[in-house]
Amino acid sequence: YLSQYKEIYTTNDAEGFSNLVCFFLLVAHITRIFWWMIASNVNNTVLSSSMLMIMCQILLLELTVKLLKKSRKAKSKENDIVWYFRNFWGWED
């Protein structure tokens, strides 16, 4: 995940990155932590690896959301007027 974070950070482009994958990985690792709390025979490695993965996913999400928000804001300012005039007569029945 470090190389992915570095690539997204240096290129300032998060278009190919899926936030849904981060969401599902966060849910899976949070579930693993709950399982660690419930089951007494689960190793502490499960807890430490899940906590590390949660931190990595949160950092990736923070970076991608910030970049996507910035790119959408720039695109929306440029394309609002153009979109309006192109789609003015595009009504659906």
Side-chain angles (χ1 to χ4, degrees):
Y1 293 105
L2 182 62
S3 63
Q4 197 170 23
Y5 185 89
K6 184 179 176 183
E7 180 181 342
I8 292 171
Y9 185 77
T10 56
T11 60
N12 284 333
D13 184 26
E15 291 297 324
F17 186 77
S18 174
N19 289 337
L20 284 176
V21 173
C22 273
F23 170 74
F24 289 123
L25 286 172
L26 279 171
V27 169
H29 288 288
I30 290 170
T31 306
R32 284 176 73 186
I33 288 176
F34 285 135
W35 181 256
W36 177 85
M37 291 184 338
I38 293 171
S40 61
N41 60 352
V42 179
N43 197 350
N44 287 342
T45 308
V46 172
L47 176 67
S48 61
S49 66
S50 292
M51 290 176 70
L52 179 67
M53 287 299 295
I54 288 172
M55 288 189 315
C56 289
Q57 295 302 320
I58 288 174
L59 287 174
L60 275 170
L61 274 175
E62 187 262 337
L63 176 66
T64 57
V65 167
K66 189 184 333 178
L67 289 176
L68 288 174
K69 185 175 153 184
K70 190 186 309 181
S71 70
R72 286 183 182 158
K73 185 183 279 187
K75 286 180 184 177
S76 69
K77 286 181 182 178
E78 295 172 1
N79 294 331
D80 280 346
I81 296 172
V82 174
W83 180 87
Y84 178 77
F85 284 112
R86 283 188 184 166
N87 296 316
F88 181 76
W89 296 109
W91 299 325
E92 293 183 17
D93 293 336

Coordinates of all heavy atoms in Angstrom, one line a residue:
Y1 N 0.8 -1.2 0.0 CA 0.0 0.0 0.0 C 0.8 1.3 0.0 O 0.4 2.3 -0.4 CB -1.0 0.0 1.2 CG -2.0 -1.1 1.0 CD1 -1.9 -2.2 1.8 CD2 -3.0 -1.0 0.1 CE1 -2.9 -3.2 1.7 CE2 -4.0 -1.9 0.0 CZ -3.9 -3.1 0.7 OH -4.8 -4.0 0.6
L2 N 2.1 1.1 0.4 CA 3.0 2.3 0.4 C 3.3 2.7 -1.0 O 3.2 3.9 -1.3 CB 4.3 2.0 1.2 CG 5.3 3.1 1.3 CD1 4.7 4.2 2.1 CD2 6.5 2.6 1.9
S3 N 3.5 1.8 -1.9 CA 3.8 2.2 -3.3 C 2.5 2.8 -4.0 O 2.7 3.7 -4.7 CB 4.2 1.0 -4.1 OG 3.2 0.0 -4.2
Q4 N 1.4 2.3 -3.6 CA 0.1 2.8 -4.2 C -0.1 4.3 -3.7 O -0.4 5.2 -4.4 CB -1.0 1.9 -3.8 CG -2.3 2.2 -4.6 CD -3.3 1.1 -4.3 OE1 -3.3 0.4 -3.3 NE2 -4.2 0.9 -5.2
Y5 N 0.1 4.5 -2.4 CA 0.0 5.8 -1.8 C 1.0 6.8 -2.4 O 0.7 7.9 -2.8 CB 0.2 5.7 -0.3 CG 0.0 7.0 0.4 CD1 -1.3 7.3 0.9 CD2 1.0 8.0 0.6 CE1 -1.5 8.5 1.6 CE2 0.8 9.2 1.3 CZ -0.5 9.4 1.8 OH -0.7 10.6 2.4
K6 N 2.2 6.3 -2.6 CA 3.3 7.1 -3.2 C 2.9 7.5 -4.6 O 3.1 8.7 -5.0 CB 4.6 6.4 -3.1 CG 5.8 7.2 -3.6 CD 7.1 6.4 -3.5 CE 8.2 7.2 -4.1 NZ 9.5 6.4 -4.1
E7 N 2.4 6.5 -5.4 CA 2.1 6.8 -6.8 C 0.9 7.8 -6.9 O 1.0 8.8 -7.7 CB 1.7 5.5 -7.5 CG 1.3 5.7 -8.9 CD 0.9 4.4 -9.6 OE1 1.2 3.3 -9.1 OE2 0.3 4.5 -10.6
I8 N -0.1 7.6 -6.1 CA -1.2 8.6 -6.1 C -0.8 9.9 -5.6 O -1.2 10.9 -6.2 CB -2.4 8.0 -5.2 CG1 -3.0 6.8 -5.8 CG2 -3.4 9.1 -5.0 CD1 -3.9 6.0 -4.9
Y9 N 0.1 10.0 -4.6 CA 0.5 11.3 -4.1 C 1.4 12.0 -5.1 O 1.3 13.2 -5.3 CB 1.3 11.1 -2.8 CG 1.7 12.3 -2.1 CD1 0.8 13.1 -1.4 CD2 3.1 12.8 -2.2 CE1 1.2 14.2 -0.8 CE2 3.4 13.9 -1.6 CZ 2.5 14.7 -0.9 OH 2.9 15.8 -0.2
T10 N 2.3 11.3 -5.8 CA 3.2 12.0 -6.7 C 2.5 12.4 -8.0 O 2.8 13.5 -8.6 CB 4.4 11.1 -7.1 OG1 3.9 9.9 -7.6 CG2 5.3 10.9 -5.9
T11 N 1.5 11.6 -8.5 CA 0.8 11.9 -9.7 C -0.4 12.8 -9.5 O -0.9 13.4 -10.5 CB 0.4 10.7 -10.5 OG1 -0.5 10.0 -9.6 CG2 1.5 9.8 -10.9
N12 N -0.8 13.0 -8.3 CA -2.0 13.7 -7.9 C -3.2 13.3 -8.8 O -4.0 14.1 -9.2 CB -1.8 15.2 -8.2 CG -1.0 15.9 -7.0 OD1 -1.0 15.4 -5.9 ND2 -0.3 16.9 -7.4
D13 N -3.3 12.0 -9.0 CA -4.4 11.4 -9.7 C -4.8 10.1 -9.1 O -4.1 9.2 -8.9 CB -3.9 11.1 -11.2 CG -5.0 10.6 -12.0 OD1 -6.2 10.9 -11.8 OD2 -4.7 9.8 -13.0
A14 N -6.1 10.1 -8.6 CA -6.7 8.9 -8.0 C -7.8 8.3 -8.8 O -8.7 7.7 -8.2 CB -7.1 9.3 -6.6
E15 N -7.8 8.6 -10.1 CA -9.0 8.1 -10.9 C -9.1 6.6 -11.0 O -10.2 6.1 -11.1 CB -8.8 8.7 -12.3 CG -9.0 10.2 -12.4 CD -10.4 10.6 -11.9 OE1 -11.4 9.9 -12.2 OE2 -10.6 11.7 -11.3
G16 N -8.0 5.9 -11.0 CA -8.0 4.4 -11.1 C -8.2 3.7 -9.8 O -8.4 2.5 -9.7
F17 N -8.3 4.4 -8.7 CA -8.4 3.8 -7.4 C -9.8 3.7 -7.0 O -10.6 4.7 -7.1 CB -7.6 4.7 -6.4 CG -7.5 4.1 -5.0 CD1 -6.6 3.1 -4.7 CD2 -8.3 4.5 -4.0 CE1 -6.6 2.5 -3.5 CE2 -8.3 4.0 -2.7 CZ -7.4 3.0 -2.5
S18 N -10.2 2.5 -6.4 CA -11.6 2.3 -6.0 C -11.8 2.5 -4.5 O -11.1 1.8 -3.8 CB -12.0 0.9 -6.4 OG -13.3 0.6 -5.9
N19 N -12.6 3.4 -4.2 CA -12.9 3.6 -2.7 C -13.7 2.5 -2.2 O -13.7 2.3 -1.0 CB -13.6 5.0 -2.5 CG -12.6 6.1 -2.7 OD1 -11.4 6.0 -2.6 ND2 -13.2 7.3 -3.1
L20 N -14.5 1.8 -3.0 CA -15.2 0.7 -2.5 C -14.4 -0.5 -2.0 O -14.7 -1.1 -1.0 CB -16.2 0.2 -3.6 CG -17.4 1.0 -3.9 CD1 -18.2 0.4 -5.1 CD2 -18.3 1.1 -2.7
V21 N -13.2 -0.7 -2.6 CA -12.3 -1.7 -2.2 C -11.8 -1.3 -0.8 O -11.8 -2.2 0.1 CB -11.1 -1.9 -3.2 CG1 -10.1 -2.8 -2.6 CG2 -11.7 -2.4 -4.5
C22 N -11.5 -0.1 -0.6 CA -11.1 0.4 0.8 C -12.2 0.2 1.8 O -11.9 -0.3 2.9 CB -10.7 1.9 0.7 SG -9.0 2.2 0.3
F23 N -13.4 0.4 1.4 CA -14.5 0.3 2.3 C -14.7 -1.2 2.7 O -14.8 -1.5 3.9 CB -15.8 0.7 1.6 CG -17.1 0.4 2.4 CD1 -17.4 1.0 3.6 CD2 -17.9 -0.6 2.0 CE1 -18.5 0.7 4.3 CE2 -19.0 -1.0 2.7 CZ -19.3 -0.3 3.8
F24 N -14.6 -2.1 1.7 CA -14.8 -3.5 2.0 C -13.6 -4.1 2.9 O -13.8 -4.9 3.8 CB -14.9 -4.4 0.8 CG -16.3 -4.2 0.1 CD1 -16.3 -3.7 -1.2 CD2 -17.4 -4.4 0.8 CE1 -17.6 -3.5 -1.8 CE2 -18.7 -4.2 0.2 CZ -18.7 -3.8 -1.1
L25 N -12.4 -3.6 2.6 CA -11.2 -4.0 3.4 C -11.4 -3.4 4.9 O -11.0 -4.1 5.8 CB -9.9 -3.5 2.8 CG -9.5 -4.3 1.6 CD1 -8.3 -3.6 0.9 CD2 -9.2 -5.7 1.9
L26 N -11.9 -2.2 5.0 CA -12.1 -1.7 6.3 C -13.1 -2.5 7.1 O -12.9 -2.8 8.3 CB -12.5 -0.2 6.3 CG -11.4 0.8 6.0 CD1 -12.1 2.2 5.8 CD2 -10.5 0.9 7.2
V27 N -14.2 -2.8 6.5 CA -15.2 -3.7 7.1 C -14.6 -5.0 7.5 O -14.9 -5.5 8.6 CB -16.5 -3.8 6.2 CG1 -17.4 -4.9 6.8 CG2 -17.2 -2.5 6.1
A28 N -13.9 -5.6 6.6 CA -13.3 -6.9 6.9 C -12.3 -6.9 8.1 O -12.4 -7.8 9.0 CB -12.5 -7.4 5.7
H29 N -11.5 -5.9 8.2 CA -10.5 -5.8 9.3 C -11.2 -5.3 10.6 O -10.7 -5.8 11.6 CB -9.4 -4.9 8.9 CG -8.5 -5.5 7.8 ND1 -7.7 -6.6 8.1 CD2 -8.4 -5.3 6.5 CE1 -7.0 -7.0 7.1 NE2 -7.4 -6.2 6.1
I30 N -12.2 -4.5 10.5 CA -12.9 -4.2 11.7 C -13.6 -5.5 12.3 O -13.6 -5.7 13.5 CB -13.9 -3.1 11.5 CG1 -13.2 -1.8 11.3 CG2 -14.9 -2.9 12.6 CD1 -14.0 -0.6 10.8
T31 N -14.2 -6.3 11.4 CA -14.8 -7.6 11.8 C -13.7 -8.5 12.4 O -14.0 -9.2 13.4 CB -15.4 -8.2 10.5 OG1 -16.3 -7.3 9.9 CG2 -16.2 -9.5 10.9
R32 N -12.5 -8.5 11.8 CA -11.5 -9.3 12.4 C -11.1 -8.9 13.8 O -10.8 -9.7 14.7 CB -10.2 -9.3 11.6 CG -10.3 -10.1 10.3 CD -9.1 -9.9 9.4 NE -8.0 -10.6 10.0 CZ -6.7 -10.6 9.5 NH1 -6.5 -9.8 8.4 NH2 -5.8 -11.2 10.1
I33 N -11.2 -7.6 14.1 CA -10.9 -7.1 15.4 C -12.0 -7.5 16.4 O -11.7 -7.9 17.5 CB -10.7 -5.5 15.4 CG1 -9.3 -5.2 14.7 CG2 -10.7 -5.0 16.8 CD1 -9.1 -3.7 14.6
F34 N -13.2 -7.4 15.9 CA -14.3 -7.9 16.8 C -14.2 -9.4 17.1 O -14.4 -9.9 18.2 CB -15.7 -7.6 16.2 CG -16.1 -6.1 16.3 CD1 -16.6 -5.5 15.2 CD2 -15.9 -5.4 17.5 CE1 -17.0 -4.1 15.3 CE2 -16.3 -4.1 17.6 CZ -16.8 -3.5 16.5
W35 N -13.8 -10.1 16.0 CA -13.6 -11.6 16.2 C -12.4 -11.8 17.2 O -12.5 -12.7 18.0 CB -13.3 -12.2 14.9 CG -13.1 -13.7 15.0 CD1 -11.9 -14.4 15.0 CD2 -14.1 -14.7 15.2 NE1 -12.1 -15.7 15.1 CE2 -13.4 -15.9 15.3 CE3 -15.4 -14.6 15.4 CZ2 -14.1 -17.1 15.5 CZ3 -16.1 -15.8 15.6 CH2 -15.4 -17.0 15.6
W36 N -11.4 -11.0 17.2 CA -10.3 -11.1 18.1 C -10.8 -10.9 19.5 O -10.3 -11.6 20.5 CB -9.2 -10.2 17.8 CG -8.0 -10.2 18.7 CD1 -6.9 -11.0 18.7 CD2 -7.8 -9.3 19.8 NE1 -6.1 -10.8 19.7 CE2 -6.6 -9.7 20.4 CE3 -8.5 -8.3 20.4 CZ2 -6.1 -9.1 21.5 CZ3 -8.0 -7.6 21.5 CH2 -6.8 -8.0 22.1
M37 N -11.7 -9.9 19.7 CA -12.2 -9.6 21.1 C -13.1 -10.7 21.6 O -13.1 -11.0 22.8 CB -13.0 -8.3 21.0 CG -12.1 -7.1 20.8 SD -12.8 -5.4 20.9 CE -14.5 -5.6 20.6
I38 N -13.8 -11.4 20.7 CA -14.8 -12.4 21.1 C -14.1 -13.8 21.3 O -14.3 -14.4 22.4 CB -15.9 -12.6 20.1 CG1 -16.7 -11.3 20.0 CG2 -16.7 -13.8 20.3 CD1 -17.7 -11.3 18.9
A39 N -13.2 -14.2 20.4 CA -12.6 -15.5 20.5 C -11.3 -15.4 21.3 O -10.5 -14.5 21.1 CB -12.3 -16.0 19.1
S40 N -11.1 -16.3 22.2 CA -10.0 -16.2 23.1 C -8.8 -16.9 22.5 O -7.6 -16.7 22.9 CB -10.3 -16.8 24.4 OG -10.7 -18.2 24.3
N41 N -9.0 -17.8 21.5 CA -7.9 -18.5 20.9 C -7.2 -17.9 19.7 O -6.4 -18.6 19.0 CB -8.3 -20.0 20.6 CG -9.5 -20.0 19.6 OD1 -10.0 -19.0 19.2 ND2 -9.8 -21.2 19.1
V42 N -7.6 -16.7 19.4 CA -7.0 -16.0 18.2 C -5.8 -15.3 18.6 O -5.7 -14.6 19.7 CB -8.1 -15.0 17.6 CG1 -7.5 -14.3 16.4 CG2 -9.3 -15.7 17.2
N43 N -4.7 -15.4 17.8 CA -3.4 -14.8 18.0 C -3.5 -13.3 18.0 O -4.3 -12.7 17.3 CB -2.4 -15.4 17.0 CG -1.0 -15.2 17.4 OD1 -0.7 -14.5 18.3 ND2 -0.1 -15.8 16.6
N44 N -2.5 -12.7 18.7 CA -2.4 -11.2 18.7 C -2.0 -10.7 17.4 O -2.1 -9.5 17.1 CB -1.5 -10.7 19.8 CG -2.1 -10.9 21.2 OD1 -3.3 -11.0 21.3 ND2 -1.3 -10.9 22.2
T45 N -1.4 -11.5 16.5 CA -1.0 -11.1 15.2 C -2.2 -10.6 14.4 O -2.1 -9.7 13.6 CB -0.2 -12.2 14.5 OG1 0.8 -12.7 15.3 CG2 0.4 -11.8 13.2
V46 N -3.3 -11.3 14.6 CA -4.5 -10.9 13.9 C -4.9 -9.4 14.2 O -5.2 -8.6 13.4 CB -5.7 -11.8 14.2 CG1 -7.0 -11.3 13.6 CG2 -5.4 -13.2 13.7
L47 N -4.8 -9.1 15.5 CA -5.1 -7.8 15.9 C -4.1 -6.7 15.4 O -4.6 -5.7 14.8 CB -5.1 -7.7 17.5 CG -5.3 -6.3 18.1 CD1 -6.7 -5.8 17.8 CD2 -5.0 -6.3 19.6
S48 N -2.9 -7.0 15.5 CA -1.9 -6.0 15.0 C -1.9 -5.9 13.5 O -1.9 -4.7 13.0 CB -0.5 -6.4 15.4 OG -0.1 -7.7 14.9
S49 N -2.1 -6.9 12.7 CA -2.2 -6.8 11.3 C -3.5 -6.1 10.9 O -3.5 -5.3 9.9 CB -2.2 -8.2 10.6 OG -3.3 -8.9 10.9
S50 N -4.6 -6.3 11.6 CA -5.8 -5.6 11.2 C -5.7 -4.1 11.6 O -6.2 -3.3 10.8 CB -7.0 -6.2 12.0 OG -7.2 -7.5 11.5
M51 N -5.1 -3.8 12.7 CA -4.9 -2.4 13.0 C -4.1 -1.7 12.0 O -4.3 -0.5 11.6 CB -4.4 -2.2 14.4 CG -5.4 -2.7 15.5 SD -4.8 -2.6 17.1 CE -4.6 -0.9 17.4
L52 N -3.0 -2.3 11.6 CA -2.1 -1.8 10.5 C -2.9 -1.5 9.2 O -2.7 -0.5 8.6 CB -0.9 -2.6 10.3 CG 0.1 -2.2 9.3 CD1 0.8 -0.9 9.8 CD2 1.1 -3.2 9.0
M53 N -3.6 -2.5 8.8 CA -4.4 -2.4 7.6 C -5.5 -1.3 7.7 O -5.7 -0.6 6.7 CB -5.0 -3.7 7.2 CG -4.1 -4.8 6.7 SD -3.2 -4.2 5.2 CE -4.6 -4.1 4.1
I54 N -6.1 -1.2 8.8 CA -7.1 -0.1 9.0 C -6.4 1.3 8.9 O -6.9 2.2 8.2 CB -7.8 -0.3 10.3 CG1 -8.8 -1.5 10.3 CG2 -8.6 1.0 10.7 CD1 -9.4 -1.8 11.6
M55 N -5.3 1.4 9.5 CA -4.5 2.7 9.3 C -4.2 3.0 7.9 O -4.3 4.1 7.4 CB -3.3 2.7 10.2 CG -3.6 2.8 11.7 SD -2.2 3.1 12.8 CE -1.0 2.0 12.2
C56 N -3.7 1.9 7.2 CA -3.3 2.1 5.8 C -4.5 2.5 4.9 O -4.4 3.4 4.1 CB -2.7 0.8 5.2 SG -1.0 0.5 5.9
Q57 N -5.6 1.8 5.1 CA -6.8 2.1 4.3 C -7.3 3.5 4.6 O -7.8 4.2 3.7 CB -7.9 1.1 4.6 CG -7.5 -0.3 4.1 CD -7.2 -0.4 2.6 OE1 -7.8 0.3 1.8 NE2 -6.1 -1.1 2.3
I58 N -7.3 3.9 5.8 CA -7.8 5.3 6.2 C -6.9 6.3 5.5 O -7.4 7.3 5.0 CB -7.8 5.5 7.7 CG1 -9.0 4.6 8.2 CG2 -8.0 6.9 8.1 CD1 -9.1 4.6 9.7
L59 N -5.6 6.1 5.5 CA -4.7 7.1 4.9 C -4.9 7.1 3.4 O -4.9 8.2 2.8 CB -3.2 6.7 5.2 CG -2.7 7.0 6.6 CD1 -1.3 6.4 6.8 CD2 -2.7 8.4 6.9
L60 N -5.1 6.0 2.8 CA -5.4 5.9 1.3 C -6.7 6.6 1.0 O -6.8 7.4 0.1 CB -5.4 4.5 0.8 CG -4.1 3.9 0.4 CD1 -4.3 2.4 0.2 CD2 -3.5 4.5 -0.8
L61 N -7.7 6.4 1.8 CA -9.0 7.0 1.6 C -8.9 8.5 1.8 O -9.5 9.3 1.0 CB -10.0 6.5 2.6 CG -10.8 5.2 2.1 CD1 -11.7 4.7 3.2 CD2 -11.6 5.5 0.9
E62 N -8.2 9.0 2.8 CA -8.0 10.4 3.0 C -7.4 11.1 1.8 O -7.8 12.1 1.4 CB -7.2 10.6 4.3 CG -7.1 12.0 4.7 CD -5.8 12.7 4.3 OE1 -4.8 12.0 4.0 OE2 -5.8 13.9 4.2
L63 N -6.3 10.5 1.3 CA -5.6 11.0 0.1 C -6.5 11.0 -1.1 O -6.6 12.1 -1.8 CB -4.3 10.2 -0.1 CG -3.5 10.7 -1.4 CD1 -3.0 12.1 -1.2 CD2 -2.4 9.7 -1.6
T64 N -7.2 9.9 -1.4 CA -8.0 9.8 -2.6 C -9.2 10.8 -2.5 O -9.5 11.4 -3.5 CB -8.4 8.4 -2.9 OG1 -9.1 7.9 -1.8 CG2 -7.2 7.5 -3.2
V65 N -9.8 10.8 -1.4 CA -11.0 11.7 -1.3 C -10.6 13.2 -1.5 O -11.2 14.0 -2.1 CB -11.7 11.5 0.1 CG1 -12.7 12.6 0.4 CG2 -12.4 10.1 0.1
K66 N -9.4 13.5 -0.9 CA -8.9 14.9 -1.0 C -8.6 15.2 -2.5 O -9.0 16.3 -3.0 CB -7.7 15.1 -0.2 CG -7.2 16.5 -0.1 CD -5.9 16.8 0.6 CE -5.5 15.8 1.7 NZ -4.2 16.0 2.3
L67 N -8.0 14.3 -3.2 CA -7.7 14.5 -4.6 C -8.9 14.5 -5.5 O -9.0 15.3 -6.4 CB -6.7 13.5 -5.1 CG -5.2 13.6 -4.6 CD1 -4.4 12.4 -5.0 CD2 -4.6 14.9 -4.9
L68 N -9.8 13.6 -5.3 CA -11.0 13.5 -6.1 C -11.9 14.8 -5.8 O -12.5 15.3 -6.8 CB -11.8 12.3 -5.7 CG -11.2 11.0 -6.3 CD1 -12.0 9.8 -5.8 CD2 -11.1 11.0 -7.8
K69 N -11.9 15.2 -4.6 CA -12.7 16.5 -4.3 C -12.1 17.7 -5.0 O -12.8 18.5 -5.6 CB -12.7 16.7 -2.8 CG -13.5 17.8 -2.3 CD -13.5 17.8 -0.8 CE -13.7 19.2 -0.2 NZ -13.6 19.3 1.2
K70 N -10.8 17.7 -5.0 CA -10.1 18.9 -5.7 C -10.3 18.8 -7.2 O -10.6 19.8 -7.8 CB -8.6 18.8 -5.4 CG -7.8 20.0 -5.8 CD -6.4 19.9 -5.7 CE -5.9 19.5 -4.3 NZ -4.5 19.4 -4.1
S71 N -10.2 17.6 -7.8 CA -10.4 17.5 -9.3 C -11.9 17.7 -9.7 O -12.1 18.3 -10.7 CB -9.9 16.1 -9.8 OG -10.8 15.1 -9.3
R72 N -12.8 17.3 -8.9 CA -14.2 17.5 -9.2 C -14.6 19.0 -9.1 O -15.4 19.5 -9.8 CB -15.1 16.6 -8.3 CG -15.1 15.2 -8.7 CD -16.0 14.4 -7.9 NE -15.9 13.0 -8.2 CZ -16.3 12.0 -7.5 NH1 -16.8 12.2 -6.3 NH2 -16.2 10.8 -7.9
K73 N -14.0 19.6 -8.1 CA -14.3 21.1 -7.9 C -13.8 21.8 -9.1 O -14.5 22.7 -9.7 CB -13.6 21.6 -6.7 CG -14.0 23.0 -6.4 CD -13.3 23.5 -5.1 CE -14.0 23.1 -3.9 NZ -13.5 23.7 -2.7
A74 N -12.6 21.5 -9.6 CA -12.0 22.2 -10.8 C -12.8 21.9 -12.0 O -13.1 22.8 -12.8 CB -10.6 21.8 -11.0
K75 N -13.2 20.6 -12.2 CA -14.0 20.2 -13.4 C -15.4 20.9 -13.3 O -15.9 21.3 -14.4 CB -14.2 18.7 -13.5 CG -12.9 18.0 -13.9 CD -13.1 16.5 -14.0 CE -11.8 15.8 -14.3 NZ -12.0 14.4 -14.3
S76 N -16.0 21.0 -12.2 CA -17.4 21.5 -12.1 C -17.4 23.0 -12.4 O -18.3 23.5 -13.0 CB -18.0 21.3 -10.7 OG -17.3 22.1 -9.7
K77 N -16.4 23.7 -12.1 CA -16.3 25.1 -12.4 C -16.2 25.3 -13.9 O -16.8 26.2 -14.5 CB -15.2 25.8 -11.7 CG -15.4 26.0 -10.2 CD -14.2 26.7 -9.6 CE -14.4 26.9 -8.1 NZ -13.3 27.6 -7.5
E78 N -15.4 24.5 -14.6 CA -15.2 24.6 -16.0 C -16.5 24.1 -16.8 O -16.8 24.7 -17.8 CB -14.0 23.8 -16.4 CG -12.7 24.3 -15.9 CD -11.6 23.3 -16.2 OE1 -11.8 22.3 -16.8 OE2 -10.5 23.6 -15.7
N79 N -17.1 23.1 -16.3 CA -18.1 22.4 -17.1 C -19.5 22.8 -16.8 O -20.4 22.3 -17.5 CB -17.9 20.9 -17.0 CG -16.6 20.5 -17.6 OD1 -16.1 21.1 -18.5 ND2 -16.0 19.4 -17.1
D80 N -19.8 23.5 -15.8 CA -21.2 23.8 -15.4 C -21.9 24.5 -16.6 O -23.0 24.1 -16.9 CB -21.3 24.7 -14.2 CG -21.1 23.9 -12.9 OD1 -21.2 22.6 -13.0 OD2 -20.9 24.5 -11.9
I81 N -21.4 25.6 -17.1 CA -22.0 26.3 -18.2 C -22.1 25.5 -19.4 O -23.2 25.5 -20.1 CB -21.3 27.7 -18.4 CG1 -21.4 28.5 -17.1 CG2 -21.9 28.4 -19.6 CD1 -20.6 29.8 -17.2
V82 N -21.0 24.8 -19.8 CA -21.0 24.0 -21.0 C -22.1 22.9 -20.9 O -22.8 22.6 -21.8 CB -19.6 23.4 -21.2 CG1 -19.6 22.5 -22.4 CG2 -18.6 24.5 -21.4
W83 N -22.1 22.2 -19.7 CA -23.1 21.2 -19.5 C -24.5 21.7 -19.7 O -25.4 21.0 -20.3 CB -22.9 20.5 -18.2 CG -23.8 19.4 -17.9 CD1 -23.7 18.1 -18.2 CD2 -25.1 19.5 -17.3 NE1 -24.8 17.4 -17.8 CE2 -25.7 18.2 -17.3 CE3 -25.9 20.5 -16.7 CZ2 -26.9 17.9 -16.7 CZ3 -27.1 20.3 -16.2 CH2 -27.6 19.0 -16.2
Y84 N -24.8 22.8 -19.1 CA -26.1 23.4 -19.1 C -26.6 23.6 -20.6 O -27.7 23.2 -21.0 CB -26.1 24.7 -18.4 CG -27.5 25.4 -18.4 CD1 -28.5 24.9 -17.6 CD2 -27.7 26.5 -19.2 CE1 -29.8 25.5 -17.7 CE2 -28.9 27.1 -19.3 CZ -30.0 26.6 -18.5 OH -31.2 27.2 -18.5
F85 N -25.7 24.2 -21.4 CA -26.1 24.5 -22.8 C -26.2 23.2 -23.6 O -27.0 23.1 -24.5 CB -25.2 25.5 -23.4 CG -25.6 26.9 -22.9 CD1 -24.6 27.6 -22.1 CD2 -26.8 27.5 -23.2 CE1 -24.9 28.9 -21.6 CE2 -27.1 28.8 -22.7 CZ -26.2 29.5 -21.9
R86 N -25.4 22.3 -23.4 CA -25.4 21.0 -24.2 C -26.6 20.2 -23.8 O -27.1 19.5 -24.7 CB -24.1 20.2 -23.9 CG -22.9 20.7 -24.7 CD -21.8 19.8 -24.5 NE -20.6 20.3 -25.2 CZ -19.4 19.9 -25.0 NH1 -19.2 18.9 -24.3 NH2 -18.4 20.5 -25.7
N87 N -27.0 20.2 -22.6 CA -28.1 19.3 -22.1 C -29.4 20.1 -21.9 O -30.4 19.5 -21.4 CB -27.7 18.7 -20.8 CG -26.6 17.7 -21.0 OD1 -26.5 17.0 -22.0 ND2 -25.6 17.8 -20.1
F88 N -29.5 21.3 -22.4 CA -30.7 22.1 -22.2 C -31.9 21.4 -22.9 O -33.0 21.3 -22.3 CB -30.5 23.5 -22.7 CG -31.7 24.4 -22.5 CD1 -32.0 24.9 -21.2 CD2 -32.6 24.7 -23.5 CE1 -33.1 25.7 -21.0 CE2 -33.7 25.5 -23.3 CZ -34.0 26.0 -22.1
W89 N -31.8 21.0 -24.1 CA -32.9 20.4 -24.8 C -32.9 18.9 -24.7 O -33.7 18.2 -25.4 CB -32.8 20.7 -26.3 CG -33.0 22.2 -26.6 CD1 -32.0 23.1 -27.0 CD2 -34.1 23.0 -26.4 NE1 -32.5 24.3 -27.0 CE2 -33.8 24.3 -26.7 CE3 -35.4 22.7 -26.0 CZ2 -34.7 25.3 -26.6 CZ3 -36.4 23.7 -25.9 CH2 -36.0 25.0 -26.2
G90 N -32.1 18.3 -23.8 CA -32.0 16.8 -23.7 C -33.0 16.3 -22.7 O -32.7 15.5 -21.8
W91 N -34.3 16.7 -22.8 CA -35.3 16.2 -21.9 C -35.7 14.7 -22.2 O -35.7 14.3 -23.4 CB -36.6 17.0 -22.0 CG -36.3 18.5 -21.6 CD1 -35.5 18.9 -20.7 CD2 -36.9 19.6 -22.2 NE1 -35.5 20.3 -20.6 CE2 -36.4 20.7 -21.6 CE3 -37.9 19.8 -23.2 CZ2 -36.8 22.0 -21.9 CZ3 -38.2 21.1 -23.5 CH2 -37.7 22.2 -22.9
E92 N -36.1 14.0 -21.2 CA -36.6 12.7 -21.4 C -38.1 12.7 -21.3 O -38.7 13.4 -20.6 CB -36.0 11.7 -20.4 CG -34.5 11.6 -20.6 CD -33.9 10.6 -19.6 OE1 -34.7 9.8 -19.0 OE2 -32.7 10.5 -19.4
D93 N -38.7 11.8 -22.1 CA -40.2 11.7 -22.1 C -40.7 11.0 -20.9 O -40.2 10.1 -20.3 CB -40.7 11.0 -23.3 CG -40.4 11.9 -24.5 OD1 -40.3 13.1 -24.4 OD2 -40.3 11.4 -25.6

